[in-house]
């Protein structure tokens, strides 16, 4: 039962352009969403998060959008840089009373070409 | 500021053996979660420890067990290893079991376990 899905295994973008990574979820009880970035031989690094009460959160070049009615979130990276090349994981969490385990998608490999 | 550390980095075991993986949380964090990441997949939640107790558990058999020590470090034990247990095992730490800060988990580099 894959509750968090990242349907694009990979994405290739030119340096300076926008990267858009997508994530869909099925459990309407999720109330907090996070994006992690992972380089080879390293653990996932927290990137940006959004609460279900918001529809947008921005941090520098990174913006996450949440569409609760569609159960969809996306991560926008503008402008994309070669150093952004990594695997990006979308993760979701249930409300606090159910604990805070993270449910991850399978990841999207982003390649930024210079 | 020390981040999450894990040991060993790599490990090769034979089917049926037992293994212990170790994790030290980020300075100031008191909650440790363990994840298994198979090749080509996202991390899957194994269990979480807070105040030396297992607070949550994912869909993993009892062969997977853990422990948290008073200094917040943690161990993951896997008994009767199967070939399918080969994976990257990630430890993540966070502050508190509930509250906003508990959502944002910081990961270590992982331990690569190979079962032959």
């Amino acid at each position: 039962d894959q509750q968090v899905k990242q349907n694009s295994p990979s994405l290739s973008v030119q340096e300076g352009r926008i990267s858009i990574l997508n994530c869909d979820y099925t459990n309407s009880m999720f109330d907090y969403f996070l994006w992690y970035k992972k380089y080879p031989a390293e653990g996932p690094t927290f990137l940006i998060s959004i609460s279900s009460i918001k529809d947008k959160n921005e941090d520098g070049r990174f913006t996450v959008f949440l569409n609760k009615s569609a159960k969809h979130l996306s991560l926008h990276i503008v402008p994309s840089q070669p150093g952004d090349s990594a695997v990006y994981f979308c993760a979701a969490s249930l409300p606090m009373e159910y604990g805070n385990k993270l449910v991850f998608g399978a990841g999207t490999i982003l390649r930024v070409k210079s | 500021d020390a981040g999450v550390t894990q040991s060993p980095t790599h490990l090769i075991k034979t089917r049926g053996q037992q293994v212990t993986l170790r994790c030290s949380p980020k300075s100031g964090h008191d909650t440790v979660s363990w994840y298994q990441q198979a090749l080509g997949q996202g991390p899957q939640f194994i269990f979480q420890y807070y105040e030396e107790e297992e607070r949550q558990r994912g869909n993993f058999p009892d062969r997977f067990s853990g422990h948290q020590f008073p200094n917040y470090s943690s161990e993951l034990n896997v008994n009767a290893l199967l070939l399918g247990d080969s994976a990257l095992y990630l430890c993540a730490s966070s502050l508190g079991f509930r509250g906003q800060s508990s959502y944002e988990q910081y990961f270590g580099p992982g331990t690569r376990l190979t079962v032959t």
Side-chain angles (χ1 to χ4, degrees):
Chain A
D1 178 19
Q2 196 174 354
Q3 299 184 67
V4 177
K5 295 181 181 180
Q6 294 178 256
N7 292 318
S8 297
S10 64
L11 175 68
S12 187
V13 172
Q14 197 68 33
E15 181 180 6
R17 306 294 291 267
I18 184 171
S19 294
I20 300 177
L21 296 100
N22 294 303
C23 178
D24 297 298
Y25 61 95
T26 56
N27 191 338
S28 57
M29 291 183 65
F30 287 139
D31 74 338
Y32 202 80
F33 303 89
L34 308 92
W35 283 94
Y36 282 83
K37 178 171 71 172
K38 187 179 186 300
Y39 292 119
E42 295 183 12
T45 302
F46 169 71
L47 198 55
I48 191 169
S49 61
I50 187 167
S51 166
S52 61
I53 62 174
K54 296 184 176 181
D55 55 18
K56 177 183 174 181
N57 188 27
E58 194 171 352
D59 183 2
R61 296 186 298 114
F62 303 92
T63 302
V64 55
F65 295 92
L66 175 62
N67 183 334
K68 285 187 66 177
S69 60
K71 294 190 180 67
H72 177 82
L73 67 155
S74 61
L75 173 68
H76 292 209
I77 306 174
V78 183
S80 301
Q81 300 174 354
D84 296 329
S85 297
V87 180
Y88 287 79
F89 292 100
C90 166
S93 180
L94 291 168
M96 296 177 194
E97 58 265 34
Y98 295 98
N100 59 351
K101 73 174 187 179
L102 297 178
V103 180
F104 283 84
T108 297
I109 301 171
L110 173 66
R111 295 187 183 90
V112 180
K113 299 175 291 185
S114 56
Chain B
D1 180 18
V4 179
T5 59
Q6 292 186 243
S7 62
T9 306
H10 296 88
L11 205 50
I12 300 175
K13 289 285 188 179
T14 305
R15 269 183 304 176
Q17 286 189 316
Q18 179 264 344
V19 68
T20 297
L21 310 181
R22 295 176 175 82
C23 170
S24 290
K26 178 180 169 65
S27 178
H29 284 184
D30 56 7
T31 304
V32 173
S33 302
W34 286 92
Y35 293 81
Q36 179 195 66
Q37 185 180 11
L39 204 60
Q41 296 182 22
Q44 275 200 293
F45 176 78
I46 303 175
F47 43 54
Q48 181 181 72
Y49 278 84
Y50 173 72
E51 292 186 336
E52 301 181 50
E53 288 187 17
E54 183 182 293
R55 298 290 178 161
Q56 290 190 86
R57 190 177 183 92
N59 294 329
F60 281 80
D62 292 344
R63 298 187 297 107
F64 290 76
S65 63
H67 188 78
Q68 185 179 35
F69 299 93
N71 66 352
Y72 308 121
S73 66
S74 176
E75 287 181 350
L76 164 65
N77 300 293
V78 186
N79 295 322
L81 284 167
L82 303 174
L83 294 180
D85 295 331
S86 295
L88 179 67
Y89 288 84
L90 293 162
C91 169
S93 72
S94 55
L95 178 60
F97 176 57
R98 301 188 191 282
Q100 194 69 27
S101 61
S102 69
Y103 284 118
E104 295 171 3
Q105 300 185 13
Y106 292 79
F107 285 80
T111 294
R112 172 72 62 186
L113 172 65
T114 302
V115 182
T116 62

